[in-house]
Amino acid sequence: MMKKTNKLFLTMCVAGSFALLFGSCKKNEDTQKVTINLPTFEEEVDGRAYIDYANGNKFMWNGNDNVIVYNLDQEGLASEKALYATGADAEGRQLATFSYESGDPITAKKYGYFVFYPAAKAEAALLEGNYQTFTVPAEQTYTIDNGGTPTLDAAGMALACDVADVNTTFALKHIFGALKLRLTGYGNVTKIEVIDNRYNLSGNVTMKLHEVTMDQFQSIQTSFIGTEDPDNNWGFMTLWSEYKDQLGYSAEGEGKVMTLNCPEPVALDPQEETLFPIGLRPGALKYGFTLNVYMEDDQEPYSFVFDRPEWNYGIKAGVNKNLVVSLPY
């Protein structure tokens, strides 16, 4: 996701720093630019792009944001991967044009195009067979957008789409969702931890990109959220197993804790809610979680346990999961 203070997985866990070292090559004039639209976030009541939470949950591009464009050969022997970036004029826009920066020249369509944002999450090389590894870091940074409203850090965002034609305007689709945490109380917050009861929230995931379709991904994650106990449901586990086999999916989970760090302590108000957005993989929190809020000058955090089975905590792609917590005086 884009953010102002820090200039702009696939399947059940896909999101670091970016140092994509491509060699320079001749640009292909027909695919030198792509124009990309951004979707809004849905709001679940009661319950480097950035989300403008003050303006209808809209995603906005920043200047100098970047995406990865893939032109995939079905066997993965001649696939192309390139870095595309916006100019300064993309600042604060939902629709922006990205220009070729580096990497393989994107030629005429092979098996299909795939676009991923942000590029930082796809640092690893594209391997034979179209295997791409994506990284989800264990930490995010409390971020303020252009208008002074808290928004998601890019480390907590991921969007993608499979595209028929990169020479026409197209829209990315959400992979991650967000915990829209709102706190009231006294004192200054220094960091927040979300600890999942069952699932890893950070790590690496690898899959074959030419087998990924966002419609199928969304269908799988909807089925997961809608199943009361998916880990013990034969129907869902069969569906998920078949999908993983199709993708050549593998994952290396690194931890169940997602930390939101505040570069400067954030003051709370006992009367007004202060927003702390945290990006999470779809399916996170399905089986409950613990929330730790660390305050300046306090040795131990305020800790809150959310494990009531009748509550649907599960994170959905492109949806804000609202949570209001009042800290004790």
Side-chain angles (χ1 to χ4, degrees), residues 144-184:
I144 302 297
D145 69 20
N146 297 335
T149 301
T151 188
L152 282 173
D153 180 9
M157 303 275 301
L159 299 96
C161 61
D162 45 300
V163 186
D165 184 0
V166 292
N167 293 310
T168 61
T169 299
F170 56 89
L172 296 176
K173 295 182 179 181
H174 290 290
I175 298 171
F176 276 24
L179 178 64
K180 195 174 176 183
L181 175 64
R182 292 173 288 169
L183 300 179
T184 61

Side-chain angles (χ1 to χ4, degrees), residues 39 67 70 95 113 148 152 198 302 328:
V67 299
Y70 300 88
L95 182 68
Y113 295 110
L152 282 173
R198 185 172 298 191
Y302 291 106

Side-chain angles (χ1 to χ4, degrees), residues 92-295:
R93 296 177 179 272
Q94 280 190 282
L95 182 68
T97 297
F98 288 71
S99 299
Y100 172 93
E101 285 287 310
S102 60
D104 302 317
I106 301 299
T107 61
K109 181 180 178 181
K110 300 177 186 291
Y111 178 76
Y113 295 110
F114 191 81
V115 180
F116 182 83
Y117 168 82
K121 298 174 177 63
E123 178 184 3
L126 180 67
L127 302 180
E128 182 178 327
N130 296 322
Y131 282 94
Q132 178 67 66
T133 296
F134 299 90
T135 300
V136 185
E139 297 187 357
Q140 299 173 31
T141 301
Y142 183 75
T143 302
I144 302 297
D145 69 20
N146 297 335
T149 301
T151 188
L152 282 173
D153 180 9
M157 303 275 301
L159 299 96
C161 61
D162 45 300
V163 186
D165 184 0
V166 292
N167 293 310
T168 61
T169 299
F170 56 89
L172 296 176
K173 295 182 179 181
H174 290 290
I175 298 171
F176 276 24
L179 178 64
K180 195 174 176 183
L181 175 64
R182 292 173 288 169
L183 300 179
T184 61
Y186 292 93
N188 303 312
V189 178
T190 58
K191 73 175 182 179
I192 294 170
E193 292 176 340
V194 177
I195 307 171
D196 195 287
N197 282 357
R198 185 172 298 191
Y199 297 125
N200 286 304
L201 301 182
S202 65
N204 298 321
V205 61
T206 301
M207 67 198 68
K208 296 183 287 188
L209 291 187
H210 68 277
E211 293 287 357
V212 176
T213 66
M214 292 305 294
D215 287 344
Q216 189 174 14
F217 159 74
Q218 290 176 334
S219 176
I220 290 285
Q221 69 100 19
T222 297
S223 177
F224 176 86
I225 293 295
T227 302
E228 183 175 351
D229 186 10
D231 284 355
N232 293 297
N233 182 285
W234 181 87
F236 174 79
M237 292 307 295
T238 299
L239 180 67
W240 175 226
S241 178
E242 292 173 350
Y243 188 47
K244 288 196 295 183
D245 289 345
Q246 174 187 332
L247 294 176
Y249 170 95
S250 63
E252 298 175 353
E254 293 185 352
K256 296 179 173 62
V257 182
M258 182 60 67
T259 301
L260 179 69
N261 294 307
C262 302
E264 298 292 336
V266 179
L268 297 183
D269 188 302
Q271 303 299 326
E272 295 186 10
E273 298 166 355
T274 301
L275 176 61
F276 294 86
I278 303 171
L280 295 169
R281 46 157 283 195
L285 316 187
K286 172 74 174 179
Y287 289 91
F289 63 102
T290 297
L291 177 71
N292 290 332
V293 181
Y294 291 80
M295 307 295 292

Side-chain angles (χ1 to χ4, degrees), residues 9-86:
F9 23 99
L10 268 159
T11 116
M12 303 308 286
C13 176
V14 146
S17 62
F18 176 50
L20 193 57
L21 304 177
F22 286 120
S24 61
C25 4
K26 181 180 178 182
K27 299 178 181 179
N28 183 294
E29 297 301 324
D30 294 334
T31 54
Q32 189 174 348
K33 295 182 183 295
V34 295
T35 302
I36 306 176
N37 203 355
L38 284 170
T40 58
F41 244 61
E42 296 178 25
E43 192 72 16
E44 184 169 274
V45 180
D46 294 329
R48 150 161 138 187
Y50 64 85
I51 301 177
D52 189 349
Y53 281 115
N55 188 24
N57 296 330
K58 292 180 180 178
F59 270 95
M60 304 295 183
W61 293 115
N62 275 334
N64 305 313
D65 274 331
N66 46 58
V67 299
I68 295 292
V69 177
Y70 300 88
N71 186 15
L72 299 171
D73 168 68
Q74 191 167 12
E75 285 73 37
L77 299 175
S79 295
E80 301 159 351
K81 175 181 179 180
L83 175 69
Y84 280 62
T86 62

